[in-house]
Each structure stands twice: as structure tokens, then as C-alpha cells.
Amino acid sequence: MDDPHPPGSAAGLAPASEADLLCDMAGQAARPAQARAAWEQLYLRHHRYVFVVTHRAYGSFLGEDGTADLVVDTFRKAFEWAGRQDVPEELRARFTGESPDETRRRVLGWLGAIAQRSFQDRFREEARRGEEFQEFAEQWAGEQPLQAADEDPRATSLVRAALAALTPDEAEALRVSLPWYHAESQSFAVPRGEAARVAALLGASPEALRQRRYRAIRKLERSLEESGYQARGEVTS
Amino acid sequence: MTDRKTAGPGGEDRLRAELHRALGQVGWRVPQSAGEVKSAEQWPEQQTQRLPSRLSQVPELAAPVKTVTGERSFLARYFPEEGPNGSEPERQPELDRDGPDLDR
């Protein structure tokens, strides 16, 4: 009797880890059908997750349809990037964690980074998108922290309360700017052309966007200080 | 890429790294670290969010060559002259930075 889930099919890859799937995707030149099946399996497992997290972050700017476009774009870019990796086994090793959960979360974090980048690309000059994505991809893969940190529910609750006190304009300005956050300087690095486009999305000027963002951050800091929120999410009261 | 001379010690546009991470926990950023993903996997919407019907099917791997709807129209609403006659692409993009603090 024929196997209803032959090994080379998406269904046949159901037991494979996410790192295994990336490894197969990286072998797309030599085994295109296997790579395609792996990509399908990755999509089937995690398209809901990717839609939910991107909808939370960008749904108010993109709408449901635009967010769906972003999801599809994210998975396509993941396949394209995997195909550019020279050594598939190195890719598997890079994303394999100490447990299946950790492996899955590493890959989902990677998909999240791609989604964020895809959102930024909507404001970027088209000529610059492709080459910068490759540079970004290699940098991200090499620098991301791989150790899971547990959330502090009390600290998260205080952050939510502080965010709820922002005006809609302030919240929107801060939220839309986050993809351009520069970790090293702890500030926002938005190229001018992109800043104009992002501001236009909100119906504002770049200057107004900066002012709203600044007010949002000040309010957030003040509110968290008053509530006893400390660095690293520790709560003192 | 970042002009640190204009960032200022007061940090008029600075966001502490801890707060940036916290915003990931509440969904303002797409989760990227394993810890953020762990929290996000517990969000109620993971079970309840209605998905656009077209996402229930595996999409094609290759994107359409050019689309009238989608990215071009997304920006065209705000920049109708975007394109060869629109803004010039920048080789090294200048950052949009604050001048003096305008919010006092």
C-alpha cells in the first residue's frame, strides 16, 4: 500500500523539527521538491502564529489584507534566504536548540525578524531592498540571543497600563517607529525618505511623528517610574 | 549610520533597551527572541484570531512580477508621483533626526 504521507511530501515532514525544515529549504538547488515540501510544512505549522504576531504589531497600519500580504512575503523571503546558505547542515545546527520548543522558538524569532524587515521594506526605496535584506539577515542570525528569558507577568502588566495612558497619536507614533530602533544607540535610526513615508502613513509630518514619539517615550518612562517598574522588568512595589 | 552627536545625553529620542524588550512582550513589536516567542505563543489570539481565508492555503513560492494592488498602491496613496519622476534614491540614506528639542 502506498504511504499516504511519503517522506518527500509536506505531510511526510510532520515529524521534522523547524531546524530540519530550514536545512531542507537550504538544499533547494539540489533537491527542489524536498525544499518545497519543507517550506510548505513550515508554512502550515506557523502561518497562524506569524499572522497573529504581525497583526498585533502592524495590523492597525496595514489592515487585515496588508498583514496577510506580509505573512506570505515573510515565508517567501525565508525560503529565498535559506536557498542562499552554502551549508545546509550549518543552518540546522544554528537553529537547533536544547529542546524542540527552543528550536521552534528560534525559527519563529527568525520569521519575526523577516516580518519586521518586510514591514520596513514597504517604506524603503525599492532599489535598496534586496541587497540590504541579505546584509540584515546575516547580521541578525549572528547576533540574536538564543537563550529564552521568562516573562515577568507583573512587569508586563505595568507596561500595558503605561501604554494604555498614551494618546492614540502617541501610541501610533511609537509603535510604527519600533522597526527602526537601533539597539546600540538605543534610539531610532530612520532614513529621511522612509521617515517621510512613515509619517505620511499617519497623516503627519516627520517632525510631528518625532514629537509624538518623544512624548510617548517620556510618558511611558514617567508612568513606569511612578508604578515602581525597574530596569530588566523587576517590580519594586 | 546613526549620528550619535545629535542623539544627546538627554536622549530626546532614546528608548531604553529594557523598554524596547518590554514592548515586544506586549506585542508592539514582532517577537524575535526565543523568550518573546514563548510569551507570544500563549496569546489568546493564537487560538481565536480569525485568519484571512487566503492564508489557509499554502501560497505560491514566487511573488507576482508586478502588482497594481499591493506595495505600489500602498505608497501611491501618499506619494502619487513615486517612481522615476519621484524622489531620488539615496546612496547613503540621511537619517531623520531631531534638531533642538521641539517639545518644550
Side-chain angles (χ1 to χ4, degrees):
Chain A
M1 180 177 293
D2 291 340
D3 184 349
H5 301 302
S9 69
L13 287 167
S17 75
E18 281 74 12
D20 291 338
L21 297 178
L22 286 185
C23 179
D24 283 345
M25 285 160 55
Q28 59 192 247
R31 296 177 301 278
Q34 181 79 358
R36 168 70 198 224
W39 181 74
E40 288 182 7
Q41 175 63 216
L42 187 70
Y43 179 88
L44 289 170
R45 283 188 202 179
H46 299 306
H47 68 283
R48 165 175 280 279
Y49 168 86
V50 176
F51 179 80
V52 167
V53 299
T54 52
H55 192 260
R56 257 216 194 190
Y58 309 132
S60 60
F61 307 115
L62 300 180
E64 189 175 276
D65 215 35
T67 307
D69 284 343
L70 190 71
V71 171
V72 173
D73 198 29
T74 295
F75 281 95
R76 283 179 179 150
K77 279 192 166 76
F79 187 81
E80 184 185 322
W81 174 80
R84 289 201 167 100
Q85 306 311 299
D86 293 330
V87 186
E89 286 302 325
E90 283 184 4
L91 197 60
R92 189 204 313 267
R94 188 190 294 182
F95 282 92
T96 297
E98 293 181 358
S99 67
D101 283 343
E102 188 180 329
T103 298
R104 181 184 69 253
R105 287 167 188 152
R106 288 185 182 189
V107 173
L108 289 179
W110 169 225
L111 291 176
I114 297 176
Q116 177 177 286
R117 189 70 182 195
S118 293
F119 178 75
Q120 286 178 279
D121 274 352
R122 279 155 170 73
F123 304 95
R124 188 168 276 132
E125 292 287 347
E126 194 165 344
R128 290 177 45 213
R129 293 174 189 173
E131 60 190 42
E132 289 198 6
F133 176 77
Q134 291 307 317
E135 184 183 329
F136 143 78
E138 291 310 312
Q139 187 179 12
W140 188 93
E143 292 179 355
Q144 275 302 299
L146 301 176
Q147 190 65 32
D150 288 334
E151 178 187 354
D152 178 350
R154 290 180 63 200
T156 301
S157 175
L158 291 178
V159 170
R160 284 189 208 280
L163 292 174
L166 301 180
T167 67
D169 281 353
E170 290 165 352
E172 204 175 46
L174 178 56
R175 186 196 285 255
V176 81
S177 301
L178 289 174
W180 285 270
Y181 181 74
H182 188 246
E184 191 179 337
S185 64
Q186 298 187 50
S187 64
F188 295 90
V190 191
R192 287 195 188 276
E194 292 169 39
R197 293 183 184 90
V198 172
L201 178 68
L202 306 185
S205 67
E207 179 181 305
L209 172 61
R210 283 198 305 274
Q211 289 190 37
R212 293 175 189 178
R213 183 172 66 222
Y214 172 55
R215 283 199 301 268
I217 295 171
R218 280 179 56 183
K219 244 190 215 183
L220 188 62
E221 290 273 15
R222 195 160 50 234
S223 176
L224 291 175
E225 184 181 0
E226 290 170 0
S227 66
Y229 178 94
Q230 291 289 321
R232 300 193 187 89
E234 296 171 354
V235 179
T236 58
S237 60
Chain B
M1 182 170 86
T2 303
D3 182 0
R4 289 179 176 76
K5 292 180 183 176
T6 61
E12 55 265 11
D13 208 17
R14 291 188 73 238
L15 178 70
R16 285 188 290 134
E18 296 84 5
L19 292 185
H20 181 255
R21 283 195 292 274
L23 293 176
Q25 295 284 2
V26 300
W28 277 38
R29 293 185 295 106
V30 179
Q32 292 182 39
S33 72
E36 291 171 348
V37 171
K38 185 180 178 184
S39 297
E41 286 181 316
Q42 305 304 314
W43 292 347
E45 304 100 290
Q46 296 298 340
Q47 304 302 324
T48 61
Q49 177 86 47
R50 188 190 72 84
L51 297 189
S53 57
R54 64 185 170 108
L55 288 186
S56 63
Q57 305 230 344
V58 179
E60 292 299 317
L61 254 175
V65 175
K66 291 291 184 190
T67 54
V68 176
T69 57
E71 291 187 16
R72 287 196 175 275
S73 65
F74 176 79
L75 292 177
R77 281 180 288 166
Y78 306 103
F79 295 92
E81 295 182 3
E82 187 75 6
N85 296 324
S87 57
E88 294 179 1
E90 302 169 32
R91 286 189 177 276
Q92 293 183 356
E94 186 181 359
L95 292 180
D96 176 68
R97 303 295 306 184
D98 273 329
D101 186 350
L102 301 175
D103 194 34
R104 295 188 188 281

